[in-house]
Amino acid sequence: MTDTAAEAWQRWTEARSAAAGAPHGPLALTGTHWLEPEPAEVPGLPGRWWAEDGAVCAELRAGDGVRIEGEPQESTGRVVLRPDTDRHPQLAVLDGLRLVPIEREGELALRVFDPDAPARAAFAGIAVYPYAPDWAVPAVFTPFEGGAQALLVENADGRARPLTVTGQVAFTLAGQPHTLTVSGDGSAGGRLSGVIADGTSGRDTYRFRFVSLPAPDAQGRTVLDFNRAFLPPCAFADHFVCPFPPPGNRLDVAVEAGERQVVTG
């Protein structure tokens, strides 16, 4: 016996809340430290850290207590960590902290996740709208004729960065036609994703949300289920880099479906 759509959605919301409150989940992020080619201290961490040849490097001494995850011994001397964009990324740990190298548009940073972060301690769940099947609507994906495009989009940290988009999905809400610009080509079972705002944004919901669509079929047909519109990482911690909606992805209609806000106790 398979779950109904409502039951599957309920399991999804529970999994989302559990992942957000995990010891090293998004609520645990206490800092994203952008690195320069010259070694420098990172607040609260031992050693000196820098960016070099597409990797995050550190110079550590015995007793600093930093080790590469999965290795039993602490790391000393010059340590090189592959970022999250590498096929085989690495991260380091220090006591309960998780140190995650990231790369964004050629820039490298070190993220620090702390299970004792105040935001995690205050977390009381994710507010959601009740499930409503009418918010799951048929959609049709049309790829851009010229292939993927890079749109310069402002990010949550105030900087503009390229957002790779591949086409648009067309759908109807309350009898009115709409389109959204999305990423992903949907080939080989790949999903589509988009960044949206709507009439609830900044009031009843966070200022923007993400959506994900199943891979379209050969005719481009898929489903846009707003019941699974979800909060971006920067809704949980200010230190994440999240893209704002690209032009055309701000819907006039109030989408009263999906995740609304982070709830604190």
Side-chain angles (χ1 to χ4, degrees):
M1 180 177 179
T2 59
D3 286 346
T4 65
E7 290 170 336
W9 171 84
Q10 183 63 41
R11 292 169 65 89
W12 174 79
T13 62
E14 292 170 355
R16 283 277 301 166
S17 185
H24 295 103
L27 289 156
L29 182 64
T30 58
T32 295
H33 306 279
W34 296 99
L35 304 174
E36 301 292 340
E38 294 299 320
E41 294 182 356
V42 171
L45 299 182
R48 293 167 69 82
W49 301 78
W50 69 96
E52 182 181 326
D53 295 331
V56 168
C57 300
E59 186 67 33
L60 301 168
R61 298 178 299 180
D64 282 344
V66 177
R67 61 180 176 85
I68 297 175
E69 188 174 58
E71 296 186 2
Q73 302 298 324
E74 71 170 333
S75 301
T76 58
R78 185 176 184 273
V79 176
V80 179
L81 298 172
R82 296 184 294 268
D84 60 342
T85 51
D86 191 275
R87 291 183 61 185
H88 303 287
Q90 297 170 295
L91 56 87
V93 293
L94 172 63
D95 298 324
L97 303 181
R98 180 170 287 178
L99 314 178
V100 181
I102 68 167
E103 183 270 328
R104 298 292 182 271
E105 303 302 326
E107 296 187 65
L108 289 154
L110 187 69
R111 280 185 169 154
V112 179
F113 290 83
D114 183 356
D116 294 329
R120 181 170 179 261
F123 180 60
I126 301 173
V128 298
Y129 288 104
Y131 179 82
D134 289 348
W135 283 112
V137 298
V140 176
F141 172 66
T142 302
F144 293 133
E145 288 187 4
Q149 303 176 8
L151 301 180
L152 198 61
V153 175
E154 186 177 355
N155 282 227
D157 64 349
R159 295 184 58 181
R161 294 181 176 87
L163 175 67
T164 301
V165 293
T166 55
Q168 290 188 323
V169 290
F171 57 97
T172 300
L173 281 178
Q176 296 298 315
H178 299 274
T179 59
L180 292 174
T181 300
V182 296
S183 302
D185 61 13
S187 63
R191 299 178 69 86
L192 305 172
S193 61
V195 189
I196 68 166
D198 64 88
T200 69
S201 300
R203 297 200 296 262
D204 196 42
T205 64
Y206 189 68
R207 51 185 173 169
F208 61 96
R209 293 182 287 174
F210 291 168
V211 291
S212 179
L213 298 82
D217 65 14
Q219 287 73 47
R221 295 173 299 194
T222 182
V223 175
L224 176 53
D225 189 354
F226 287 106
N227 289 290
R228 299 203 184 201
F230 60 99
L231 299 176
C234 54
F236 300 92
D238 293 335
H239 306 286
F240 282 104
V241 177
C242 299
F244 287 173
N249 278 24
R250 296 182 180 274
L251 302 172
D252 293 332
V253 64
V255 179
E256 296 179 336
E259 295 183 345
R260 295 168 51 197
Q261 298 278 4
V262 174
V263 179
T264 57

